[in-house]
Amino acid sequence: ALDAPSGRIDYAQLWGRLQRCGALLAERGAGPEGIVAVALARSADLIVAELGCWHAGAAFLPLDPRQPPERLRALCERAGARLLIAGPILGALAARGRMAGIEGAQALQHPVV
């Protein structure tokens, strides 16, 4: 199903990972009419996160993790994103309140692993 630098993922593995991601997002409040910001580099995790958003019934807002945190925060605020899926660096910024301007936002660090 996916060939990535981190390895190959078959359809069964992809399905299992996206179901786990979708379930975690749903537990955190993602669902219809909801928007989940996804700030991950191009990888298998990015694909799983996007599919997990769809599985939870939410839309995803793709963000370039190389952009400044202030720009990412502004994009999330304008879009009304309630959740953020980010890698370790952006996840740490969100956890430390650097992205606290997103009202009601919750930071998820790699729910797709």
Side-chain angles (χ1 to χ4, degrees):
L2 290 176
D3 261 330
S6 58
R8 184 169 166 73
I9 299 173
D10 65 31
Y11 285 104
Q13 292 168 324
L14 178 62
W15 181 249
R17 288 178 67 182
L18 79 88
Q19 281 187 309
R20 286 191 302 276
C21 179
L24 178 59
L25 290 170
E27 284 175 18
R28 303 270 178 111
E33 306 293 323
I35 299 172
V36 178
V38 179
L40 296 173
R42 290 183 182 204
S43 63
D45 284 346
L46 174 64
I47 302 300
V48 171
E50 291 172 347
L51 292 173
C53 291
W54 284 344
H55 191 72
F60 65 88
L61 172 67
L63 299 173
D64 183 349
R66 298 171 296 181
Q67 293 292 316
E70 296 79 22
R71 175 159 171 69
L72 298 177
R73 185 183 68 242
L75 289 169
C76 289
E77 286 175 350
R78 278 190 222 118
R82 308 235 346 118
L83 295 168
L84 168 67
I85 300 175
I89 294 171
L90 284 177
L93 288 173
R96 285 197 308 252
R98 291 289 303 272
M99 298 184 80
I102 308 167
E103 190 169 321
Q106 299 174 25
L108 302 177
Q109 288 190 15
H110 284 285
V112 293
V113 174

